[in-house]
Amino acid sequence: MTVFTDLIAGYRRFRGQGWAMQRDRWATLAEGQSPKVMVIACSDSRTDPTTVFDTSPGEIFVVRNVANLVPPFEVGGGRHGVSAALEFAVTQLKVEEILVMGHGMCGGVHAAMTRRFEQADPGEGGFIANWIGLLDEARDRITAEHGAGDDAIRALEMETVRVSLANLRTFPFVQAAEGASQLSLHGAWFSIKEGVLWVMGEDGGFSPAA
């Protein structure tokens, strides 16, 4: 299990190897970033996009949260962390593509399916319940068709991607960039158990990446 002292040991390895061997790259990154892709992924410790896609620092702009969700566009009230990151990526960094990546064995999806934190207070699951409430409609639709077993959970894991993509398109600046052919949206689902990435096609279905 990684503890803080392990993180510091890792930093020392990075400082002596990764950073030292790529000083020119880090000098360039110190001047600014210009990633072409934004990835919206789950906070799950097993699904790091930089590992899955074998990328280096500066190549992808990553936002991670419970169940890789994007809320619909709204103004006023609360804090809008995902919306702020999205706005920065699209309007300031001018990313050309956004990928929403779901994954297998997602705890957020399992909580949505089981309603484990329903009626919980903040600090006891209430924040989680409020966030994954974004999946309520999708969950009800999927359970009506598949029940509540493994097939339903996997279907809901993939549906998080479709829900987030639909919500992305409620943001005016996303609509404008996509309409001007300056931005493309993509979906994917990563199987932790198999190590296989499934890519969403134009029909909304998923198939293993070639």
Side-chain angles (χ1 to χ4, degrees):
M1 179 178 180
T2 300
V3 296
F4 183 67
T5 52
D6 294 327
L7 296 179
I8 296 302
Y11 157 72
R12 291 180 180 134
R13 290 192 299 274
F14 158 74
R15 178 69 179 174
Q17 300 171 24
W19 185 86
M21 294 171 62
Q22 299 188 62
R23 290 192 181 186
D24 289 344
R25 179 176 182 80
W26 286 102
T28 299
L29 291 176
E31 299 299 321
Q33 60 173 325
S34 57
K36 301 300 182 185
V37 180
M38 176 184 193
V39 178
I40 300 170
C42 185
S43 298
D44 192 298
S45 61
R46 301 165 294 180
T47 58
D48 180 3
T50 61
T51 299
V52 173
F53 298 112
D54 190 25
T55 60
S56 298
E59 291 186 325
I60 58 176
F61 185 77
V62 180
V63 172
R64 302 179 69 177
N65 63 57
V66 175
N68 44 270
L69 292 171
V70 175
F73 175 78
E74 60 182 1
V75 295
R79 307 293 184 187
H80 303 287
V82 174
S83 302
L86 175 63
E87 183 179 57
F88 183 71
V90 175
T91 69
Q92 305 303 306
L93 294 177
K94 305 292 185 182
V95 297
E96 298 173 4
E97 298 178 283
I98 298 176
L99 169 66
V100 178
M101 186 181 78
H103 70 94
M105 304 175 188
C106 180
V109 167
H110 188 268
M113 183 66 74
T114 60
R115 306 187 186 191
R116 174 184 173 190
F117 298 112
E118 201 168 68
Q119 307 303 321
D121 293 326
E124 298 178 353
F127 288 124
I128 299 170
N130 184 58
W131 180 248
I132 60 176
L134 290 165
L135 296 174
D136 284 352
E137 183 180 333
R139 178 201 60 228
D140 293 345
R141 186 174 64 253
I142 286 171
T143 55
E145 181 178 353
H146 297 284
D150 292 343
D151 288 345
I153 290 175
R154 178 163 175 164
L156 187 55
E157 288 170 349
M158 292 181 170
E159 191 66 13
T160 65
V161 177
R162 301 186 189 98
V163 167
S164 289
L165 287 171
N167 286 344
L168 278 171
R169 291 189 167 103
T170 66
F171 287 79
F173 51 85
V174 171
Q175 294 174 11
E178 190 176 26
S181 298
Q182 297 171 346
L183 179 67
S184 299
L185 306 185
H186 308 278
W189 177 87
F190 178 68
S191 170
I192 294 174
K193 185 175 182 179
E194 300 169 341
V196 174
L197 184 75
W198 293 60
V199 177
M200 193 181 86
E202 293 184 2
D203 62 354
F206 288 79
S207 60

